[in-house]
Amino acid sequence: MRSLINILDLTVEEIDELLAVAEDIIANRSKYSEICHGKKLATLFFEPSTRTRLSFEAAMMELGGNVLGFSEAQSSSASKGETVADTTRVVSCYADIIAMRHPKEGAPLVASMYSSVPVINAGDGGHNHPTQTLTDLLTIKRKKGKLSDFTIGFCGDLKFGRTVHSLIQALSRYTGIKIVLISPDELKLPSYIKNDVLKKNNIEYVQTDSLEKVLPDLDVLYMTRVQKERFLSEEEYIRLRDSYILTKAKLKNAKEDLSILHPLPRVNEISTDVDEDSRACYFEQALNGKFVRMAPILKLLEITVD
Ligand code: CP
């Protein structure tokens, strides 16, 4: 693997291997503390981020490496009209590995074609977010002890939510996964994912607009934010943004061992009174994101630890 653009770039075995490395990092932090000494990670973020950019940077620092980069297109020469291809060609002279976020689907793939160093897709438009998927898988594995034989509900913006698209693609390759798609009509999962991923892999799935109806059946609930930045109409966003609000009261009918995930940031879709519930995993999930991002950095830099 030269770059990580789509979660499907990884085989199930490679995903399991990356998750095992992340778990070893969590258990043996000091073993990894200087392993990237002298290496540089460039974070090229053409779109806002808190978790992904800072966890990538913290991950590289905890591995003993250094970081450089920019956090908005306006502070880079993209604002003068430089292409992604030229930016990447130049930055790959300065860094050993690149993490890129871009509002345009496919931009990190283009970058990987012009880069002389590995590129990691840190989120491209409404398309894919493979390292968030590794984060989600690690969180589910640590909570459930497995990545097979459970029912997961995806709730909210399933149309634009790239983390949903990536996670469904990844889970479709594990066994015994049942998927419940909870969204308003306007924010349903795109047909290409239903046809090319769910139907093609014979994944059992149902669609509903009622969270309350299906909540008691779920082992994992993956809440998502309505993606304001992808809407063409502000009015439409305002109409749909509060379609689902998970509250402590609604959780009365949920399983005792439900795991509630959210890639964050949240807006209104999870009430803060859920945060203290033992089933809320989303802040732990954000922490896992730092550890799990160390694993593809090491793999792509071809650095191994005994
Ligand atoms: N989950 C996620 O991608 O968060 P950021 O947009 O803050 O990076």
Side-chain angles (χ1 to χ4, degrees):
M1 180 180 56
R2 191 175 165 273
S3 286
L4 175 56
I5 304 301
N6 188 307
I7 194 67
L8 297 177
D9 292 342
L10 300 168
T11 63
V12 170
E13 291 72 28
E14 285 173 322
I15 289 177
D16 291 343
E17 183 196 311
L18 290 173
L19 299 184
V21 170
E23 296 214 78
D24 192 52
I25 291 169
I26 292 169
N28 303 288
R29 300 272 291 275
S30 59
K31 201 168 99 181
Y32 293 86
S33 65
E34 286 303 322
I35 196 163
C36 282
H37 182 74
K39 299 286 184 190
K40 294 189 282 292
L41 165 76
T43 51
L44 311 186
F45 276 59
F46 296 86
E47 194 182 63
S49 166
T50 294
R51 274 144 296 276
T52 311
R53 185 172 66 85
L54 296 183
S55 66
F56 259 119
E57 295 185 356
M60 192 52 158
M61 288 176 193
E62 290 204 19
L63 292 169
N66 291 304
V67 295
L68 65 159
F70 52 82
S71 58
E72 53 178 351
Q74 272 313 104
S75 64
S76 78
S77 286
S79 63
K80 303 173 198 162
E82 187 168 53
T83 62
V84 164
D86 282 359
T87 301
T88 314
R89 202 174 255 183
V90 170
V91 173
S92 61
C93 302
Y94 307 148
D96 302 287
I97 185 165
I98 292 170
M100 175 182 285
R101 169 168 292 187
H102 203 286
K104 285 201 179 133
E105 286 86 356
L109 175 64
V110 170
S112 71
M113 289 154 59
Y114 289 89
S115 176
S116 56
V117 301
V119 175
I120 302 177
N121 178 4
D124 61 329
H127 183 225
N128 229 279
H129 194 349
T131 60
Q132 179 65 49
T133 302
L134 293 173
T135 302
D136 302 338
L137 293 174
L138 181 64
T139 306
I140 295 170
K141 187 159 182 258
R142 287 174 74 80
K143 287 291 161 191
K144 301 290 174 209
K146 59 184 181 180
L147 286 174
S148 57
D149 303 303
F150 60 83
T151 300
I152 178 167
F154 290 90
C155 179
D157 186 349
L158 311 190
K159 179 179 178 183
F160 296 118
R162 59 192 172 202
T163 67
V164 171
H165 305 163
S166 281
L167 184 54
I168 288 178
Q169 286 176 321
L171 287 174
S172 71
R173 300 190 300 178
Y174 289 88
T175 55
I177 303 293
K178 292 182 189 161
I179 292 182
V180 183
L181 302 169
I182 310 148
S183 74
D185 242 25
E186 296 86 341
L187 298 177
K188 276 184 171 169
L189 192 73
S191 303
Y192 82 90
I193 300 183
K194 269 183 262 178
N195 294 330
D196 299 349
V197 181
L198 297 178
K199 288 181 186 164
K200 198 171 168 186
N201 292 293
N202 292 318
I203 306 296
E204 197 177 322
Y205 77 95
V206 290
Q207 294 188 97
T208 177
D209 60 6
S210 169
L211 174 60
E212 282 82 352
K213 256 192 220 161
V214 295
L215 194 51
D217 305 328
L218 305 180
D219 302 303
V220 178
L221 171 60
Y222 194 94
M223 292 296 294
T224 63
R225 171 180 70 92
V226 175
Q227 306 272 302
K228 181 181 181 184
E229 62 276 30
R230 316 258 177 252
F231 277 74
L232 297 176
S233 148
E234 169 99 14
E235 199 185 3
E236 176 87 333
Y237 166 70
I238 291 168
R239 191 171 64 77
L240 293 169
R241 68 180 172 191
D242 292 331
S243 298
Y244 302 99
I245 300 177
L246 184 68
T247 60
K248 198 170 173 59
K250 285 183 191 163
L251 281 172
K252 279 200 185 104
N253 297 323
K255 289 184 182 175
E256 283 299 308
D257 65 348
L258 173 71
S259 298
I260 306 164
L261 275 68
H262 190 312
L264 304 178
R266 76 168 148 193
V267 186
N268 281 331
E269 60 280 357
I270 302 181
S271 159
T272 53
D273 68 6
V274 176
D275 295 356
E276 302 316 317
D277 192 293
S278 61
R279 292 167 285 190
C281 305
Y282 29 92
F283 290 115
E284 193 178 329
Q285 186 183 356
L287 173 64
N288 287 337
K290 179 185 69 172
F291 295 118
V292 91
R293 287 186 171 98
M294 295 183 193
I297 290 173
L298 293 177
K299 186 173 174 72
L300 289 167
L301 290 176
E302 298 180 359
I303 295 173
T304 50
V305 183
D306 300 329

